[in-house]
Amino acid sequence: MGQIHQNPETSNWYGRKSNSIEYWHQASISVNDLQLDTNTEKPKVGILGYASEEGVNRNQGRLGTKAGPKAIRNMMGSLAFHLPEQTRVFDYGDVITHNSDMESSHDLISTTVAKLLETNHFPVLLGGGHDLALAHARGVYHYLKSKGEKLGIINLDAHFDLRPLNNGKGHSGSPFFQLAEEFKDDFHYLCLGIQRSVNPKSLFETAERSNSQWMVMEDFRLNNWEVIQEKILWFLDSKDKIYLTVDMDGFASAYAPGVSAPSPMGFEPDFAFKVFELITKSKKVISMDVVELNPNFDLDHATARLAARCAEYVVRKVFS
């Protein structure tokens, strides 16, 4: 697909050897040139990386997220494979950004996501900056449009990512602002883990205007589980499909130091995985991504390991 797509590298997947498929690196099939598997009879996972940091750069963040997809694959390969025996896992490589043309990268991602869904894949996108959400969601919206189904977006994140454009250009802090502008009444957004310290009043006002829903970090804790559960279930009940996006900077930096915008006050992995379980039980999750991993600032691959575990856990629950 030209200069903005890179074919997968089989060397990204490694782990313990066995005579049968017991680990993700054994289950992963590398496919060149975005030649999607069109067999709709068997369940399958479609992995696509977004090896780009242009959106982070435009948002004045710390650079390094373009190495995120490789780092996640490296950690994911050694995880035990618990999907149904007939499930196929296809790695379709990475979309990159050439000459700062982030918008062309987004177009390719949107088109590919729609095609993945049309061919019965469960898309798992690996970032990369959170501007990926704009391209990812557009692809899901396009797929669902002909079906007349309502999409809900659930984001685990410290930030709303509802910031306005910079000089008319999108960035890693603006994807949900752009989606709200583009899809208007069809924009249904729930953000969990919002930290007041990194979201000024103007963003809360934008969230109100766009009819977004959220829970601030002070309320997004285990001792408030009944309230959290009710809010999530209400959101799930009123939507046909869910796109789940996980920003690694929503986790406390003790667990996820390798991000562009770390915070000591984020949520813990055990709690996030409890939320994942609740969301996936709905059987409405249609697609997911994990974003904002920055290997330049990681410690002993802790954040990459956690990102890989997030993707593996959600996929396992979706296919169970």
Side-chain angles (χ1 to χ4, degrees), residues 33-88:
D33 302 322
L34 291 179
Q35 297 297 313
L36 303 191
D37 182 273
T38 57
N39 181 350
T40 59
E41 295 180 5
K42 293 182 179 180
K44 51 186 180 260
V45 178
I47 295 175
L48 182 69
Y50 178 48
S52 173
E53 58 192 15
E54 175 62 23
V56 176
N57 184 43
R58 294 181 188 181
N59 198 30
Q60 303 174 44
R62 303 194 296 181
L63 299 184
T65 52
K66 66 180 180 182
K70 174 180 173 63
I72 298 172
R73 286 184 178 97
N74 290 170
M75 296 301 106
M76 202 167 181
S78 61
L79 298 180
F81 190 73
H82 289 284
L83 300 191
E85 187 176 349
Q86 71 274 24
T87 307
R88 313 290 294 279

Side-chain angles (χ1 to χ4, degrees), residues 107-125:
D107 289 344
L108 178 57
I109 291 169
S110 298
T111 301
T112 305
V113 166
K115 289 180 179 177
L116 286 168
L117 292 169
E118 289 164 3
T119 51
N120 201 31
H121 290 76
F122 180 80
V124 176
L125 275 63

